[in-house]
Amino acid sequence: MTDSDASLDPLLDPAAMRKQYRAAGLDEKDLATQPMDHFAGWFEDAARAALHGTLYEPNAMVVSTADATGRPSSRTVLMKQFDSEGFVFYTNYDSRKGRDLAQNPHVSLLFPWHPIARQVIVTGTARRTSREETTAYFRTRPHGSRLGAWASAQSTVIASRTDLDTAYADLEARYPEGEEVPVPPHWGGFRITPETVEFWQGRENRLHDRLRYVSRGDGTWTVERLSP
């Protein structure tokens, strides 16, 4: 610890930053039989909080992957679908996460809903969505986002922002607004099939509620309470 650390403004001192969570608890009897059904209820709460300006982008989730050697990496992406089969997001398959998942399909998701003192943590395996499913979603994207999927060689080193903007401008000239943009062959979705789904509810004195669904592998689940 340096002298400058000792005199750190309390406003900027991470060790002094504390928030007491006074949210209602989470009890086993309140859980749905299936984790995705319980997630649907929590996601609705998060979406309503976003509607009221309390929470930003409720579908944002941190995706953590590891390559074949076990080196991890994390990034925030937007979840675009969830159902009884799991969670779906879309990306460039040549990106770091895409390459990681091609070598090692094990993945972790984290929904950080801090303003409502909740988190959802998922572990599972990833598989690519079908081209039909990818195409159907791609057609719903704004025109500019479709061009962006072509313009960006995601995760690769580029010389400058100008290079990226030039690539986008060239595509914009080739596919003006209203013109159909083809789906890039290197772009598509991943569906995460959950093996565990943990619902984390902040409580006072750091005695949080943590209830985790664990797949039995036959479509049924057990529930465990974890110590905070």
Side-chain angles (χ1 to χ4, degrees):
M1 183 173 181
T2 65
D3 291 340
S4 60
D5 292 332
S7 59
L8 188 66
D9 184 338
L11 184 65
L12 305 177
D13 181 4
M17 294 177 181
R18 291 183 177 84
K19 182 174 178 60
Q20 186 73 283
Y21 302 124
R22 293 186 171 84
L26 177 62
D27 196 87
E28 286 83 347
K29 64 179 174 56
D30 299 323
L31 295 180
T33 303
Q34 298 288 327
M36 298 308 293
D37 291 337
H38 199 81
F39 179 85
W42 271 32
F43 185 74
E44 180 179 351
D45 292 342
R48 292 188 183 282
L51 183 65
H52 296 128
T54 305
L55 190 151
Y56 185 68
E57 291 194 312
N59 61 326
M61 61 183 184
V62 178
V63 176
S64 297
T65 58
D67 64 19
T69 66
R71 292 180 180 272
S73 61
S74 298
R75 75 289 292 160
T76 301
V77 306
L78 297 178
M79 182 264 294
K80 287 300 178 180
Q81 181 188 347
F82 69 91
D83 54 29
S84 61
E85 300 299 316
F87 306 85
V88 176
F89 70 91
Y90 292 87
T91 188
N92 185 317
Y93 286 140
D94 295 329
S95 65
R96 179 169 181 176
K97 58 185 170 296
R99 287 183 280 111
D100 280 358
L101 291 173
Q103 303 173 78
N104 179 357
H106 298 286
V107 63
S108 174
L109 312 177
L110 168 65
F111 293 86
W113 296 328
H114 304 310
I116 57 175
R118 285 178 174 176
Q119 299 181 79
V120 180
I121 305 101
V122 179
T123 64
T125 55
R127 70 178 189 275
R128 291 187 180 189
T129 58
S130 69
R131 292 312 289 174
E132 292 77 15
E133 189 174 357
T134 291
T135 299
Y137 169 70
F138 190 79
R139 299 286 180 242
T140 70
R141 286 165 64 93
H143 184 75
S145 295
R146 299 185 209 180
L147 297 179
W150 280 101
S152 172
Q154 194 175 79
S155 300
T156 62
V157 176
I158 57 176
S160 68
R161 173 73 195 201
T162 300
D163 287 358
L164 181 63
D165 290 340
T166 298
Y168 182 88
D170 290 344
L171 286 159
E172 197 171 28
R174 183 177 178 183
Y175 300 106
E177 188 74 44
E179 180 111 356
E180 192 67 65
V181 180
V183 183
H186 55 270
W187 189 94
F190 281 107
R191 180 178 297 278
I192 311 304
T193 301
E195 296 170 354
T196 68
V197 185
E198 178 186 334
F199 292 88
W200 183 102
Q201 176 68 71
R203 298 292 300 276
E204 288 187 307
N205 303 316
R206 298 297 185 262
L207 297 178
H208 315 306
D209 285 322
R210 299 175 59 188
L211 297 182
R212 180 174 64 187
Y213 290 83
V214 180
S215 173
R216 290 193 179 104
D218 61 357
T220 62
W221 301 78
T222 59
V223 174
E224 304 169 329
R225 176 173 286 271
L226 303 179
S227 176

